[in-house]
Amino acid sequence: MNNWAEFELSEAIKTNVESINQGYPHEEILYLDTGSITKGKIEQLQHLRMQEAPSRARRLAKHEDIVYSSVRPIQRHYGFIEHPSDNLVVSTGFVVITCKKNKVDPKFTYYYLTLDQIVEELDIIAEASTSTYPSLKPSDIEKLVVKFPVDVTEQRAIADVLTCLDDKIDLLHRQNKTLEAMGETLFRQWFVEDAQENWTDCSVSDFADHAKENVIPQNHADNLFSHYSIPSFDNERRPTLEPGREILSNKFKVLPYSILVSKLNPRTPRIWPICELSNDNSICSTEFQVIKPKSQDLFGFILFLLRSNEATEALIMAASGTSGSHQRVRPEDILNIGIKLPSETLAKKFSDLVMPNITKMQANLSQIQTLEKLRDTLLPKLLSGEVKVEI
């Protein structure tokens, strides 16, 4: 590693270079808050009139800037800005990092700041701060001592390898959103917009059952379970592998070609289609209801029925009278969701059309997980010089 050099990051970056001033030309802005980006993925940009924007909407970020939340770094609210709109404004809760491109490659620097060891180091600094909550100062990032390739071209080549993986992962995510939107649009056209008054009133219970097979994982302490939990749904819909001895509460058995529907907060529905299972020991949190179509050729129809706006509204109404901090739905609330149909044949025809898309979405999720594992393995090795890149 003779061609790598150690230096303080302040030699290669500037922080918070630009903020809104009196001459700011835009009356409407796209606003990025710290909670709206995690691990480089922007969940949403808010369209706001400047006069109605929050006071924290002051900082400007340009092409190839890095935004890094100054609050609780361990939550990983960071990202890399590429080709932003002229009216992009970010929260003052971000440290905006602008790289000196003759010294460091911006994307390489971004990947370096996402390394677990760096995130943890910055989190320790934040936890030791004297503010009311764990937070960083721009100088905390500037004072990081880093070791980079001297040649910026080598930095860029390393970043390009990781970017290729991230671009493929992003493409698969976008493809899944498109496939899901196609199914939702087709369902709405067939069963909502084109519905006829003389069609028969049906409900989910006509086509599916509530499967409630209890499992006590601790009775099988040495078994490895695929655990479908609420956190694992929120983390890219991937179950966690856990030994039975570590799972303290009872669970439900997950069946092939079933649909998991969260009991909690129907305004933000969590609906998880399960096709083929890679592990016979598949279980889910009892915060999910396991809905099993009576026939596999109804799977796609039941899935998109449960994802429809009408189903969400029905579950919100059913849960509105429940007490406590979280609204909950019961199995019967799900089974009672209604729909009009001319016959079961139309439901099966719909399933036939959407099942290839569902299968493709499942395959994409599996590929995403494989690529993310590869990227996470390569990231520290490439950024430390353990694995070389030819340039």
Side-chain angles (χ1 to χ4, degrees):
M1 292 183 58
N2 294 332
N3 57 340
W4 289 55
E6 193 173 272
F7 58 92
E8 190 175 88
L9 200 53
S10 61
E11 298 176 26
I13 67 169
K14 296 179 180 179
T15 56
N16 299 339
V17 173
E18 290 189 72
S19 295
I20 288 177
N21 55 33
Q22 287 185 341
Y24 187 70
H26 300 288
E27 294 183 2
E28 295 186 354
I29 64 171
L30 290 175
Y31 175 55
L32 178 64
D33 198 3
T34 53
S36 298
I37 186 169
T38 304
K39 293 184 178 180
K41 295 177 184 176
I42 296 176
E43 296 298 326
Q44 66 170 348
L45 291 171
Q46 300 178 49
H47 295 255
L48 300 172
R49 291 186 61 80
M50 192 65 232
Q51 62 189 25
E52 299 168 355
S55 61
R56 293 171 70 86
R58 304 298 301 171
R59 197 146 284 156
L60 301 180
K62 304 300 184 184
H63 178 57
E64 295 189 327
D65 279 351
I66 300 162
V67 291
Y68 209 96
S69 176
S70 61
V71 178
R72 297 184 175 87
I74 202 67
Q75 294 181 350
R76 290 173 166 78
H77 295 310
Y78 50 63
F80 188 76
I81 303 299
E82 295 184 276
H83 306 290
S85 299
D86 289 342
N87 62 339
L88 176 69
V89 178
V90 305
S91 170
T92 54
F94 288 115
V95 177
V96 179
I97 301 164
T98 302
C99 293
K100 300 175 184 177
K101 296 180 183 178
N102 63 331
K103 180 75 173 179
V104 294
D105 177 70
K107 200 63 174 290
F108 181 94
T109 306
Y110 166 71
Y111 281 122
Y112 187 88
L113 291 172
T114 69
L115 284 168
D116 286 344
Q117 67 191 62
I118 299 300
V119 172
E120 290 163 8
E121 181 179 343
L122 291 173
D123 193 61
I124 290 170
I125 294 170
E127 288 287 348
S129 67
T130 56
S131 60
T132 54
Y133 43 80
S135 61
L136 296 169
K137 300 186 293 294
S139 59
D140 294 325
I141 296 176
E142 293 170 356
K143 290 177 181 177
L144 287 172
V145 176
V146 303
K147 195 168 189 177
F148 283 13
V150 173
D151 187 350
V152 176
T153 303
E154 184 178 353
Q155 295 177 28
R156 190 172 301 118
I158 292 170
D160 285 347
V161 172
L162 297 167
T163 298
C164 285
L165 290 170
D166 277 338
D167 286 348
K168 178 62 174 177
I169 291 166
D170 181 63
L171 176 64
L172 292 170
H173 276 299
R174 287 188 283 112
Q175 187 178 80
N176 273 8
K177 286 184 178 179
T178 299
L179 292 171
E180 191 167 327
M182 288 169 58
E184 290 169 353
T185 300
L186 188 65
F187 182 91
R188 183 158 195 84
Q189 181 182 342
W190 281 29
F191 301 109
V192 179
E193 295 171 3
D194 294 346
Q196 305 296 315
E197 286 297 325
N198 62 346
W199 286 6
T200 303
D201 288 321
C202 303
S203 65
V204 171
S205 62
D206 293 314
F207 309 107
D209 297 310
H210 174 224
K212 188 180 178 181
E213 184 177 341
N214 286 295
V215 178
I216 304 174
Q218 286 197 319
N219 289 350
H220 312 276
D222 295 329
N223 286 3
L224 194 63
F225 287 87
S226 289
H227 184 196
Y228 295 78
S229 64
I230 299 292
S232 62
F233 177 91
D234 294 338
N235 182 27
E236 307 284 352
R237 302 184 191 181
R238 59 187 69 185
T240 53
L241 291 175
E242 302 174 42
R245 67 176 64 85
E246 295 180 7
I247 304 174
L248 304 181
S249 58
N250 293 0
K251 305 295 175 183
F252 291 146
K253 185 174 180 61
V254 175
L255 305 172
Y257 289 92
S258 61
I259 301 164
L260 309 185
V261 183
S262 172
K263 299 177 183 178
L264 297 172
N265 301 329
R267 291 182 185 278
T268 53
R270 295 179 177 94
I271 299 170
W272 199 345
I274 310 296
C275 293
E276 296 177 357
L277 294 171
S278 58
N279 188 340
D280 289 337
N281 293 320
S282 293
I283 56 175
C284 69
S285 164
T286 54
E287 295 295 356
F288 280 113
Q289 310 286 10
V290 182
I291 303 301
K292 175 72 172 173
K294 294 178 180 179
S295 171
Q296 188 173 311
D297 55 11
L298 286 166
F299 183 84
F301 169 73
I302 297 296
L303 173 63
F304 283 99
L305 170 55
L306 292 172
R307 282 184 171 167
S308 67
N309 291 335
E310 290 72 21
T312 299
E313 290 168 5
L315 294 180
I316 290 171
M317 288 293 294
S320 61
T322 59
S323 59
S325 58
H326 296 290
Q327 291 188 328
R328 294 172 180 269
V329 296
R330 302 164 299 174
E332 54 265 36
D333 298 328
I334 300 169
L335 295 175
N336 287 337
I337 292 170
I339 189 171
K340 283 182 173 289
L341 282 179
S343 69
E344 189 174 303
T345 302
L346 188 64
K348 290 182 177 179
K349 184 178 179 181
F350 175 83
S351 279
D352 286 342
L353 281 175
V354 299
M355 275 308 298
N357 285 4
I358 294 170
T359 301
K360 177 61 176 172
M361 289 162 63
Q362 298 278 302
N364 283 353
L365 282 175
S366 179
Q367 189 176 358
I368 286 168
Q369 291 168 22
T370 299
L371 290 171
E372 287 182 339
K373 185 176 180 180
L374 174 61
R375 181 202 57 199
D376 293 345
T377 300
L378 282 175
L379 182 65
K381 295 179 183 296
L382 286 168
L383 271 63
S384 67
E386 182 181 342
V387 172
K388 299 289 186 181
V389 173
E390 295 294 330
I391 58 172

